[in-house]
């Protein structure tokens, strides 16, 4: 039966379109940050980020506070996709899951090939993919990219985000406070109990989530992880007997409410606060430093080798199917776009090299260069790839 002319677009289509637009805004924010950092306003830019408002500096409010909201949205997307979405069964998640594993392991190995000792702590920096940026590039290509590849990229990035969350929790936590951890565990127990007993109002979850954030901030675990933990306790079930699940499901309501502010405020503000690298104050050696090369080549080379190599191997071994109506050249273009590691890579940089502006600057140069070249080459590959090359539809 034909779809009515005025039918509403699917939730996935709205999501992808919104992410694409947010990626373009993020590009503008990053460019503005670079412009400000290398202008006479640069010192004022740095001073503003280090100015204190209450117990935290503005930079910390952005990186620990606002980004907790970003991670809350990431957690909601992961939970929804794992339970009822594109990642809810092995046939659906096989290819993006295998590709994401390759896209995390190989870039880390490339980074470690250039770095040992203290700088090896940044191995996870090139292991992340920025979905907003990548979809922003795809949006410039219109219908030249099959919908199956957009879904593949979105699913891969969600798994990638989950991997980044686990990495942050395991490898980038400071000295732990057992008392605050106990407080956080108590709040989580209450949140889980509310879910079990059918509490469907969002306000109690959000208020307890704020308390959880304070405990996690003080515990030594990075405060943003409170957003992910809170997301996993938000109920996905709708109000019993209601015909429209998405109107009444607390998870869908919160995800819908956060989508625009995170995409068009939280992430661009984070980019504006962290993408500014004062190139004029750096030596020429910074451009070829081990951290710069490890991050840049990890994104530019490691991502495409890991994502494309693991994907083609999985398809050849019969573990997964090629996305429908996609060819190898288009897959290579998508794998190249996975080298855009902007938001999460910048975030991990701050955790990997706290208090070391030089190493942070070198990592940021690698992120900007690797992400820019990955986006440019990915765009060129996808634009030049033949259209309508049939692949094997997903099972």
């Amino acid at each position: 039966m034909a779809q009515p002319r005025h039918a509403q677009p699917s939730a996935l289509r709205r999501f992808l379109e919104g992410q694409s637009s947010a990626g373009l805004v993020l590009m503008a924010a990053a460019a503005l940050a670079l412009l400000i950092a290398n202008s006479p306003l640069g010192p004022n830019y740095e001073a503003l980020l280090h100015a204190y408002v209450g117990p935290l500096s503005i930079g910390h409010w952005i990186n620990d506070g606002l980004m907790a909201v970003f991670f809350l949205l990431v957690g909601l997307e992961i939970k929804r996709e794992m339970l009822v979405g594109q990642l809810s069964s092995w046939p659906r998640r096989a290819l993006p899951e295998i590709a994401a594993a390759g896209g995390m392991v190989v870039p880390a190995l490339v980074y470690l090939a250039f770095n040992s000792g203290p700088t090896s702590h940044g191995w996870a920096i090139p292991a992340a993919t920025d979905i907003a940026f990548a979809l922003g590039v795809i949006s410039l290509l219109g219908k030249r990219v099959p919908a199956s590849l957009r879904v593949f990229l979105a699913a891969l990035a969600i798994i990638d985000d989950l991997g980044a969350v686990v990495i942050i929790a395991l490898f980038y936590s400071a000295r732990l406070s057992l008392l605050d951890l106990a407080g956080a565990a108590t709040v989580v127990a209450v949140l889980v109990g509310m879910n079990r007993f059918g509490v469907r109002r969002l306000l109690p979850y959000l208020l307890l989530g704020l308390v959880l954030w304070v405990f996690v901030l003080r515990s030594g675990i990075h405060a943003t992880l409170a957003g992910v933990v809170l997301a996993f306790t938000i109920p996905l079930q709708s109000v019993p007997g209601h015909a429209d699940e998405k109107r009444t499901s607390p998870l869908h309501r919160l995800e819908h409410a956060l989508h625009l502010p995170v995409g068009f405020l939280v992430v661009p503000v984070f980019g504006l606060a962290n993408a500014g690298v004062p190139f004029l104050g750096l030596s020429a050696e910074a451009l070829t430093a081990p951290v710069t090369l490890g991050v840049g080549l990890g994104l530019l080379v490691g991502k495409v080798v890991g994502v494309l190599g693991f994907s083609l191997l999985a398809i050849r071994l019969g573990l997964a199917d090629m996305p429908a109506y996609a060819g190898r050249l288009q897959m290579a273009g998508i794998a190249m776009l996975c080298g855009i590691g902007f938001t999460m890579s910048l975030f991990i940089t701050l955790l990997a090299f706290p208090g070391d502006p030089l190493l942070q600057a070198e990592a940021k140069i690698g992120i900007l260069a690797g992400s820019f070249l990955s986006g440019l080459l990915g765009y060129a590959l996808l634009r030049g790839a033949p259209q309508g090359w049939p692949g094997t539809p997903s099972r």
Side-chain angles (χ1 to χ4, degrees), residues 83-109:
L83 293 180
V84 297
Q86 291 297 321
L87 307 176
S88 60
S89 63
W90 171 249
R92 288 184 172 186
R93 67 174 181 261
L95 188 61
E97 205 166 82
I98 293 169
M104 286 185 279
V105 171
V106 178
L109 293 177

Side-chain angles (χ1 to χ4, degrees), residues 257-271:
L258 290 177
H259 195 256
L260 287 180
V262 167
F264 293 95
L265 177 63
V266 172
V267 174
V269 166
F270 173 81

Side-chain angles (χ1 to χ4, degrees), residues 200-279:
R200 294 291 179 266
R201 292 184 59 198
L202 278 172
L203 184 59
Y205 289 96
L206 297 180
L207 291 177
L208 282 173
L210 184 59
V211 177
L212 176 64
W213 178 81
V214 172
F215 277 123
V216 175
L217 176 67
R218 292 157 47 114
S219 72
I221 299 174
H222 202 274
T224 52
L225 297 181
V228 179
V229 175
L230 173 62
F232 289 168
T233 67
I234 302 294
L236 179 63
Q237 294 83 6
S238 59
V239 173
H242 199 285
D244 191 344
E245 176 185 317
K246 292 188 178 181
R247 284 185 182 275
T248 61
S249 164
L251 187 146
H252 282 97
R253 295 203 317 269
L254 184 57
E255 185 180 355
H256 179 74
L258 290 177
H259 195 256
L260 287 180
V262 167
F264 293 95
L265 177 63
V266 172
V267 174
V269 166
F270 173 81
L272 186 61
N274 292 283
V277 182
F279 293 111

Side-chain angles (χ1 to χ4, degrees), residues 61-270:
W61 278 118
I62 293 171
N63 296 331
D64 294 347
L66 273 183
M67 286 300 284
V69 181
F70 166 78
F71 275 86
L72 172 59
L73 179 59
V74 167
L76 293 171
E77 290 173 349
I78 291 171
K79 179 174 179 176
R80 173 176 52 78
E81 291 293 340
M82 287 289 187
L83 293 180
V84 297
Q86 291 297 321
L87 307 176
S88 60
S89 63
W90 171 249
R92 288 184 172 186
R93 67 174 181 261
L95 188 61
E97 205 166 82
I98 293 169
M104 286 185 279
V105 171
V106 178
L109 293 177
V110 170
Y111 179 90
L112 291 174
F114 289 90
N115 291 272
S116 59
T119 60
S120 64
H121 201 49
W123 62 270
I125 295 172
T129 295
D130 192 307
I131 181 62
F133 248 130
L135 288 174
V137 173
I138 282 182
S139 71
L140 302 175
L141 293 160
K143 295 181 179 179
R144 299 186 71 88
V145 180
S148 62
L149 283 182
R150 294 172 184 252
V151 173
F152 167 72
L153 177 60
L156 186 157
I158 289 171
I159 297 168
D160 204 57
D161 284 341
L162 178 59
V165 168
V166 173
I167 287 170
I168 291 169
L170 294 179
F171 299 101
Y172 294 106
S173 296
R175 184 178 298 176
L176 301 180
S177 165
L178 296 181
L179 183 61
D180 288 304
L181 280 176
T186 302
V187 175
V188 172
V190 174
L191 287 166
V192 171
M194 289 166 52
N195 185 311
R196 294 288 186 185
F197 284 101
V199 176
R200 294 291 179 266
R201 292 184 59 198
L202 278 172
L203 184 59
Y205 289 96
L206 297 180
L207 291 177
L208 282 173
L210 184 59
V211 177
L212 176 64
W213 178 81
V214 172
F215 277 123
V216 175
L217 176 67
R218 292 157 47 114
S219 72
I221 299 174
H222 202 274
T224 52
L225 297 181
V228 179
V229 175
L230 173 62
F232 289 168
T233 67
I234 302 294
L236 179 63
Q237 294 83 6
S238 59
V239 173
H242 199 285
D244 191 344
E245 176 185 317
K246 292 188 178 181
R247 284 185 182 275
T248 61
S249 164
L251 187 146
H252 282 97
R253 295 203 317 269
L254 184 57
E255 185 180 355
H256 179 74
L258 290 177
H259 195 256
L260 287 180
V262 167
F264 293 95
L265 177 63
V266 172
V267 174
V269 166
F270 173 81

Side-chain angles (χ1 to χ4, degrees), residues 19-44:
Q19 287 285 69
S20 300
S21 304
L24 300 177
V25 174
L26 180 55
M27 291 179 195
L32 180 60
L34 285 171
L35 183 64
I36 293 174
N38 292 280
S39 74
L41 295 174
N44 295 329

Side-chain angles (χ1 to χ4, degrees), residues 90-99 148-149 152 310-327 331 390-395:
W90 171 249
R92 288 184 172 186
R93 67 174 181 261
L95 188 61
E97 205 166 82
I98 293 169
S148 62
L149 283 182
F152 167 72
F310 276 51
S311 295
L312 294 181
L313 181 62
I315 292 167
R316 186 172 185 83
L317 294 176
L319 300 175
D321 294 328
M322 178 77 82
Y325 307 109
M331 284 289 289
T392 304
S394 299
R395 286 188 289 248

